[in-house]
Amino acid sequence: MSAKGGLRFLTLVKPFMAFLPDVEQPTRKIPFREKVMWTAITLFIFLVCCQIPLYGIKSSESSDPFYWSRVILASNRGTLMELGIGPIVTSGLVMQLLAGAKIIEVDQGIKEDRALFSGVQKLFGFIITIGQGSAYVFSGMYGDVRDLGAGNALLIVIQLAFAGIIVLVLDELLQKGYGLGSGISLFIATNICETIVWKALSPTTINIGRGTEFEGALIALAHLLITKTDKVRALKEAFYRQNLPNVTNLLATVLVFMIVIYFQGFRVNIPVKNLRQRGSAGSYPIKLFYTSNIPIILQTALVSNLYFLSQLLYKRFSRNIFVNLLGVWQEAGRGSGQSIPVGGLAYYISPPYNFAEIASDPIHAIVYLVFILTTCALFSKTWIEVSGSSSRDVAKQLQSQQMTIPGHRQQDMKKTLDRYIPTAAAFGGLCIGALSVFADFMGAIGSGTGILLAVTIIYQYFEIFTKEKAELGSIFF
């Protein structure tokens, strides 16, 4: 499609721009303390929305299509944050891929194009929110539609749409520079860390046939050591108990945290110098995780939407052969209200959670491993092309700043960067995928994907704090 045709497509959004929520760019430099304040306010609003139940629902005990990815999508069942960041991430994924495939021509160097492209993402995200909310209601997730009534059904969709707008505005508020990082990253990290802390320290008691037990791994460890006379048996049960968080899961989580932080330090520093100022030299760092956690976020969005579609179709057309190829689902336990994939594509791209499952079905483990590694590597490589971080884009940025690589002409910088950036993107995505699979196989709390996201996001915030402290002398100014 020609640039003209691409711009004409973006222009279709212009009539809607006045109705789309928008946060103005700050007209002044926001002090660090003010950024921290806005970040805290954003997080507070999100957490409050996670606790406000949807009005009008009759039941939320039916099978949960987002059960597998709720922690990662920062969503909470039966509340305003039912859909979490799912619609925004899906919208961004689709639009970036369309732009990367040149189906939509966008010149990120033109301010109007950037604004229109952002508008398209918002509009598409809003449409996805309404679509998913409607699918939730009419598939019976909140009770039979006839019991809900037309008024309640419409009210639930409106509530979910309003919550989607809140998430959109909060994310844009931080990304425009009023806060730290992005709303999406903040919500994901908070949700995952909350899950880990709860699984470690939860005082909730559960009885699954072995007597009353504490849900939290550390609380259970202390309880077993105090109440049981055989301390060796107590330790064995605390470390290896099934169907509840155990100390081994907790140690695996800590191990994955440490491994990811270690790999964060891997980088190649390419020396650069200023053509205008003699003696002015520096370096351009290319990290191993060049695209950070983007590959795993995109992969999660893809899988969560496939699970969502597969469960909805299986609930209605369970005897259709094509629906069964997409996924076969069954309830995880009597009265649990959760479905797990037991066949079809959905089963083979779901993680086996322990070595016993791997041993019983090695083909499942191999297909899952290949799927994760391939999608993460491909998403990472595609992302650098559509996000303005490819070798060509970096070379242009350096040239515009009158920077060059010593021993190379400015025109040859792209060739030099081509030796590093595409490799770092693909191999970094591959490593992200491998670490995610490793964490899943080890039984880390919050899933391998969740741990990776939490660590990379926390590390990004650490770098932001360090940068602000270096610029201002103290984190309190």
Side-chain angles (χ1 to χ4, degrees), residues 196-206 212-228 234 237-239 241 244-247 250 445:
I196 294 171
V197 171
W198 182 257
K199 293 291 179 69
L201 302 172
S202 170
T204 305
T205 54
I206 299 174
T212 302
E213 298 178 87
F214 285 97
E215 183 183 8
L218 294 180
I219 303 293
L221 171 64
H223 176 255
L224 289 168
L225 287 174
I226 293 171
T227 58
K228 289 190 179 293
E237 186 174 340
F239 272 79
R241 65 178 184 165
L244 286 173
N246 58 49
V247 178
L250 202 57
I445 296 173

Side-chain angles (χ1 to χ4, degrees), residues 96-364:
Q96 293 286 6
L97 291 179
L98 288 176
K102 304 301 180 185
I103 297 174
I104 298 175
E105 290 288 343
V106 184
D107 187 348
Q108 296 291 350
I110 301 175
K111 185 178 180 180
E112 184 184 16
D113 263 27
R114 292 199 304 270
L116 289 173
F117 188 68
S118 175
V120 172
Q121 284 184 308
K122 291 177 186 176
L123 182 62
F124 191 40
F126 186 67
I127 292 171
I128 292 174
T129 300
I130 294 176
Q132 286 189 345
S134 301
Y136 252 67
V137 172
F138 292 107
S139 64
M141 297 295 173
Y142 302 120
D144 194 287
V145 180
R146 289 169 294 185
D147 296 333
L148 287 175
N152 274 349
L154 180 61
L155 184 59
I156 292 170
V157 175
I158 291 173
Q159 290 175 82
L160 292 174
F162 179 70
I165 293 173
I166 290 176
V167 172
L168 187 78
V169 172
L170 292 177
D171 178 55
E172 192 172 9
L173 178 73
L174 298 192
Q175 291 210 38
K176 287 287 180 70
Y178 291 97
L180 302 169
S182 72
I184 289 176
S185 295
L186 181 66
F187 303 154
I188 291 174
T190 301
N191 229 28
I192 294 167
C193 290
E194 180 185 356
T195 299
I196 294 171
V197 171
W198 182 257
K199 293 291 179 69
L201 302 172
S202 170
T204 305
T205 54
I206 299 174
N207 191 334
I208 56 174
R210 299 192 298 253
T212 302
E213 298 178 87
F214 285 97
E215 183 183 8
L218 294 180
I219 303 293
L221 171 64
H223 176 255
L224 289 168
L225 287 174
I226 293 171
T227 58
K228 289 190 179 293
T229 53
D230 188 344
K231 305 303 179 185
V232 174
R233 185 177 177 183
L235 282 172
K236 185 177 179 181
E237 186 174 340
F239 272 79
Y240 303 111
R241 65 178 184 165
Q242 299 295 315
N243 303 317
L244 286 173
N246 58 49
V247 178
T248 303
N249 298 146
L250 202 57
L251 292 176
T253 304
V254 174
L255 176 64
V256 174
F257 259 87
M258 295 172 66
I259 291 173
V260 177
I261 290 173
Y262 175 72
F263 276 110
Q264 287 281 359
F266 280 58
R267 67 184 68 196
V268 174
N269 290 313
I270 298 178
V272 294
K273 68 177 183 179
N274 196 304
L275 294 174
R276 291 179 178 176
Q277 302 174 4
R278 285 188 177 182
S280 177
S283 63
Y284 184 84
I286 299 176
K287 297 181 179 180
L288 172 62
F289 295 157
Y290 185 70
T291 51
S292 187
N293 52 29
I294 294 298
I296 210 73
I297 290 178
L298 298 180
Q299 186 266 340
T300 300
L302 174 67
V303 172
S304 64
N305 282 287
L306 190 146
Y307 283 171
F308 178 68
L309 177 64
S310 176
Q311 283 198 61
L312 292 184
L313 290 175
Y314 187 76
K315 191 172 182 180
R316 295 287 183 181
F317 313 104
S318 58
R319 295 185 179 180
N320 186 291
I321 185 172
F322 297 106
V323 171
N324 288 340
L325 287 174
L326 188 60
V328 177
W329 299 79
Q330 75 176 25
E331 195 169 322
R334 186 177 297 176
S336 69
Q338 307 301 344
S339 293
I340 58 172
V342 294
L345 179 63
Y347 168 70
Y348 284 101
I349 63 174
S350 65
Y353 285 106
N354 52 55
F355 289 104
E357 288 187 32
I358 297 172
S360 64
D361 191 353
I363 295 177
H364 175 201

